[in-house]
Amino acid sequence: MVRTILRILGAACSAVLLYFSYDSQSGVIFALTAILVLIAVTDNANSILQCSLVCIFYCMFVCAQWLFIVSDVVNGDSTSAMLVLPFTVFLIHTVPVCLCIILFKRSRIESMLIGMLLAEFLFVQFNLGNQCFQMGTILAATPSFIKFFRVTGIWGGSFLIVFTGYSFYRIIHNKKWWIPMACVYGAIICMNIFLQQSNEHARKR
């Protein structure tokens, strides 16, 4: 019982960390910590508990972001579309994650993270309009990732945050996991160098 309560508190803290990562100079650190905490509290949990923790996480995060959007509106009038928005965003994020967890029970952590990335992709496809519900926008303020965004879009930033958080978690348990992490970041660095050289070559013309 105590362990379940600690898991619930951990999922709530993870949502708060992710919320503050959008409005902080250390946003990337907050986002990675949020992913690490979420993985830690859902690890070794059964499917029902894991889905419940994911729902708590997204419920708090979506509501916090939506309240921020409403308070930022100059008119102050909340239309029916804005009232439907948080519920829609919550469903788009939680349904794919819970389905992946239920369908792939042997690898619940991996299936949860794949579901999160699938939800981010669906969010783009549905074109809900506000990008503050996508993790990738946290990296948008980082100059070194701007060129990376031109190729992958915001979803690429979401993938990078989730993959890095998962990699740090795996490195704690298995030090050999730094190899695939190094390969991904090596590819990103090479991509940035290639794009920079291409832009310089185009300017000279």
Side-chain angles (χ1 to χ4, degrees):
M1 183 66 182
V2 176
R3 193 173 181 181
T4 303
I5 293 171
L6 289 174
R7 286 179 187 270
I8 292 170
L9 291 173
C13 289
S14 178
V16 172
L17 283 169
L18 188 61
Y19 169 72
F20 281 111
S21 66
Y22 285 80
D23 191 28
S24 171
Q25 293 180 348
S26 307
V28 178
I29 297 171
F30 276 102
L32 292 177
T33 307
I35 297 297
L36 278 168
V37 171
L38 184 63
I39 293 173
V41 298
T42 55
D43 196 10
N44 295 323
N46 58 52
S47 301
I48 297 171
L49 179 57
Q50 192 174 9
C51 289
S52 301
L53 292 170
V54 167
C55 288
I56 292 168
F57 167 77
Y58 275 119
C59 182
M60 288 199 64
F61 169 67
V62 170
C63 287
Q65 287 289 64
W66 179 74
L67 288 172
F68 172 76
I69 295 169
V70 171
S71 64
D72 203 39
V73 174
V74 180
N75 316 5
D77 57 343
S78 50
T79 61
S80 58
M82 288 193 71
L83 292 172
V84 174
L85 178 64
F87 181 70
T88 307
V89 174
F90 174 77
L91 286 179
I92 289 175
H93 277 88
T94 52
V95 171
V97 178
C98 291
L99 281 175
C100 287
I101 291 170
I102 293 167
L103 291 174
F104 307 103
K105 293 181 180 179
R106 292 184 180 180
S107 306
R108 290 198 186 102
I109 295 298
E110 290 79 6
S111 60
M112 178 185 73
L113 298 177
I114 290 170
M116 290 176 74
L117 291 174
L118 178 61
E120 296 264 338
F121 178 76
L122 290 174
F123 187 86
V124 176
Q125 295 302 311
F126 275 97
N127 194 20
L128 290 175
N130 204 307
Q131 296 176 343
C132 72
F133 294 105
Q134 293 179 266
M135 284 186 287
T137 53
I138 297 166
L139 299 176
T142 310
S144 26
F145 288 103
I146 292 173
K147 292 174 183 176
F148 175 72
F149 275 3
R150 289 178 184 175
V151 179
T152 63
I154 295 176
W155 187 86
S158 301
F159 169 79
L160 207 56
I161 291 172
V162 170
F163 177 79
T164 306
Y166 175 73
S167 296
F168 281 140
Y169 185 76
R170 284 302 175 199
I171 286 170
I172 295 169
H173 294 84
N174 182 6
K175 293 181 180 179
K176 291 181 180 178
W177 188 261
W178 68 269
I179 298 172
M181 187 178 175
C183 290
V184 170
Y185 274 93
I188 292 169
I189 292 168
C190 291
M191 183 192 300
N192 282 337
I193 293 170
F194 174 76
L195 290 172
Q196 189 173 1
Q197 289 178 348
S198 300
N199 289 338
E200 289 176 359
H201 183 68
R203 287 174 184 174
K204 287 178 181 179
R205 287 186 175 182

